[in-house]
Amino acid sequence: MTLAAITAAASQLDAARPVDSVLTSSEEAAQYIADGCLIDGPPGRVGLEMEAHCVDPADPCRRPSWDEITGVIDQLPPMPGRSVVTVEPGGAVELSGRPEDGGAAAIEAMSNDQGVLRKAFAGAGLGLVYLGADPLREPKRVNPGARYRAMEEFFAASDSAEAGAAMMTSTAAVQVNLDAGPQAGWADRVRLAHALGPTMIAIAANSPMLGGEFSGWVSTRQWVWGQMDSARCGPILGASGDDPGTDWARYALKAPVMMVHNPQGPDLQALTHYVSFADWADGSAQLCDRRPTLADLDYHLTTLFPPVRPRQWLEIRYLDSAPDAYWPAIAFTLVALLDDPVAAEAAAAAVEPVATAWDNAARLGLSDRRLHEAATSCVAIAAAKAPPELTGAMERLIGSVERGRCPGDDFSDQVIDQGIAATVSQLAQGGL
């Protein structure tokens, strides 16, 4: 996240070892992963990524086509915050913000870019819906990219075919990216990022429906991810959590290879049988008649989706996408609880009783007494650190949490009152 440090570190790695170098063992691969997974430096930079489902307000059951979505993106004016716009497999539109100095600056930049994006899609008769899971439409891939085609083939051949399709095409998130911080504090920082997960999932839960039905989970998005192979999507912490680099290396090498660059065939070839990266690196399995290179290992790491992923910085991936009334305060809460030392210490104590309650958080949310207590404490801790421009947002979040409500409750109330199609159409036009 500290761009100069990351660029310098990457340059040193590239100079030391070309990416086409062949790996000779899993031990060599593990050392490479551990050495490069986090960058030592001060915390403070914050990057946000926001995903939204693209919806036709006139026909919310229809999934807009690739050409419709990219036609809007191709005509976008420059983003004031210089966010990058991409399209997810199912047509969700993602804004990836640049790193900013602190949570408030990142939130302001993302809000400005969202306004530009919404206006452009509205001008094309389309809307952006900020929910953690598509509540109405069946899973369907519209992005024709080779990576997503291979992912689809991989999941279709796996034990998590249904969950894989839903994850790819029906879920949306708010992602928070933070500097790794000083190396001496990495273990505590990564442990806290995980320990906050259940409480933050309960606070942010905004996906009560999937496929036209209430799922019985307040965060159906998290439920979907929980149905995936834990070797690819589960938390990375080891038994002690004392060495994030070793934990990440162990996790990555045990995970199955999803796809391989094949010089003799399609650029990306999906694997339909289980081969761990360790087996490939050690030579007990050969893929495309060759051993892996550093480039293969780097690419493999991009196909792993734990809730907290070390990518030189910390990628925190467990928050449901949420509307404007909620996401700025939710994002600021998470940033404050990790980046402010006093807030981090208080938050660690508050969430300790529910640090591993991932399923309860996704299913019950704030109706779980212990999660409600932790959430009430956490938002109060964060609110004390909020700048004046976020005071109102934090007060609204505190009030919601104290009442045991999450963002998805507003959506559910509207669905019960007006019906799902009408509610989704209203959201796509900027309602609620």
Side-chain angles (χ1 to χ4, degrees), residues 320-334:
D320 280 4
S321 184
D324 289 351
Y326 289 100
W327 76 258
I330 291 170
F332 180 82
T333 295
L334 183 56

Side-chain angles (χ1 to χ4, degrees), residues 315-370:
E315 239 182 33
I316 302 175
R317 308 167 51 85
Y318 45 61
L319 300 175
D320 280 4
S321 184
D324 289 351
Y326 289 100
W327 76 258
I330 291 170
F332 180 82
T333 295
L334 183 56
V335 172
L337 298 182
L338 281 162
D339 275 4
D340 184 281
V342 175
E345 183 177 359
V351 302
E352 192 277 332
V354 291
T356 59
W358 298 88
D359 283 351
N360 270 3
R363 182 168 58 89
L364 302 173
L366 297 177
S367 66
D368 179 287
R369 177 184 58 82
R370 296 191 308 161

Side-chain angles (χ1 to χ4, degrees), residues 236-262:
I236 66 171
L237 282 181
S240 67
D242 289 335
D243 186 350
T246 298
D247 286 342
W248 179 226
R250 183 184 298 113
Y251 182 104
L253 293 175
K254 286 175 62 179
V257 180
M258 177 181 277
M259 60 189 85
V260 180
H261 289 274
N262 182 9

Side-chain angles (χ1 to χ4, degrees), residues 208-235:
M209 300 188 74
L210 185 69
E213 298 180 349
F214 283 101
S215 67
W217 295 66
V218 295
S219 177
T220 307
R221 174 186 176 273
Q222 185 65 26
W223 173 81
V224 167
W225 282 88
Q227 302 307 299
M228 306 289 290
D229 182 357
S230 62
R232 184 176 304 280
C233 300

Side-chain angles (χ1 to χ4, degrees), residues 10-11 26 38-39 67 109 116 142 145 190 224 228 232 244 289 380 385:
S11 298
S26 60
L38 295 172
I39 296 296
D67 288 343
V116 173
V142 300
V190 171
V224 167
M228 306 289 290
R232 184 176 304 280
D289 298 319
K385 307 294 181 180

Side-chain angles (χ1 to χ4, degrees), residues 414 418 421-432:
Q414 197 77 1
Q418 295 188 0
T423 300
V424 173
S425 179
Q426 186 177 354
L427 284 171
Q429 297 174 78
L432 291 185

